[in-house]
Amino acid sequence: MDIPRFRLDGKTALVTGSSRGIGKAIADALEGAGARVVRHDSKACDLSDPAALEAWFDGLEKAGAAPDILVANASVQAKIPWAEFPRDEALREIQVNFLATLRMFQRAYPHMKARGWGRLIAVGSVNERRPHPDMCVYAATKAAQENLVRGLARQLAPEGITVNNLCPGVFATDRNREALADPVYGAKVLSAIPMHEAAMPEDAAGAALLLASDAGRYITGSTILIDGGLSIPG
Ligand SMILES: NC(=O)c1ccc[n+]([C@@H]2O[C@H](COP(=O)([O-])OP(=O)(O)OC[C@H]3O[C@@H](n4cnc5c(N)ncnc54)[C@H](OP(=O)(O)O)[C@@H]3O)[C@@H](O)[C@H]2O)c1
């Protein structure tokens, strides 16, 4: 099936954290729809280093690769009880998960504005709705990102730029492979999901393509949950 409004020919997409997991699946989908995709991992630019981010974006601009579509997917998280959560780790999560997203949006925005078209997509988490007790800081950074998305969406809509938040639930990726493989913990996690299974990275690709393309041109300020029903209260 090839629906013209889902095509991304002529667009440049930057997907952070696209060496594996959800980011890779999104990058593959955007590339499959015709976009030129700039791939990224922590070696291409460590997002915990603000100076590295600036240098990386300078290089993208010089190479004519400023994105029309930016998917802020990379994140970091640590499972530590909140009362013992070290300040250094909290600052790292705030930097990578929130401040780097804000700065990348700021760097990409002038190019999108000049073209009268753009897509800013933050990858959030079901933790925005159901914070894991030992990942309250991570959950808070994702919630801050969601609020930023709503604040920007209202301002940028008249400029042809949409801003959205894509929220995975429990996905079978490297970051939780070990936890899901634990028979007791894994069973507990899966039993809380109405679909009783973890998602595969590809399960995030369709929604990302919708938000990135003209098919989703009227969607802005939204949070799309891909969580098998996990966030449904009750
Ligand atoms: N997996 C889940 O169940 C789940 C649930 C809710 C939300 N999410 C969100 O979905 C997104 C993707 O998750 P995932 O599970 O697919 O991730 P993942 O498999 O752990 O991959 C993480 C990606 O981010 C990059 N990265 C990590 N730290 C970085 C840093 N300091 N600077 C730059 N890049 C860095 C990694 O690069 P390297 O390869 O170089 O390490 C890798 O490409 C994240 O925002 C996560 O919070 C995931």
Side-chain angles (χ1 to χ4, degrees), residues 40-57 74 76 88 91-97 99-101 103-104 107:
H40 162 268
D41 61 14
S42 61
K43 290 173 284 302
C45 171
D46 184 342
L47 295 173
S48 66
D49 178 350
L53 190 160
E54 300 301 334
W56 177 49
F57 255 81
V76 291
D88 283 356
L91 289 171
R92 186 178 81 105
E93 295 190 13
I94 291 165
Q95 169 59 36
V96 175
N97 304 355
L99 291 175
T101 298
R103 188 61 189 140
M104 288 188 290
R107 292 291 308 249

Side-chain angles (χ1 to χ4, degrees), residues 143-174:
Q145 207 182 222
E146 181 184 21
N147 192 276
L148 178 70
V149 159
R150 282 204 303 276
L152 300 187
R154 187 186 283 272
Q155 296 181 61
L156 305 190
E159 297 174 340
I161 302 168
T162 65
V163 195
N164 289 289
N165 186 36
L166 193 70
C167 270
V170 177
F171 274 60
T173 65
D174 292 345

Side-chain angles (χ1 to χ4, degrees), residues 19-20 22 42 46-47 73 75 138 142 169 171 173 175-176:
S19 56
R20 50 204 170 100
I22 294 167
S42 61
D46 184 342
L47 295 173
N73 166 78
S75 85
Y138 166 78
K142 294 290 191 176
F171 274 60
T173 65
R175 73 177 54 203
N176 53 26

Side-chain angles (χ1 to χ4, degrees), residues 121-142:
I121 302 170
V123 174
S125 169
V126 69
N127 273 270
E128 291 164 30
R129 301 286 187 277
R130 289 176 58 129
H132 185 290
D134 290 344
M135 291 200 290
C136 290
V137 173
Y138 166 78
T141 63
K142 294 290 191 176

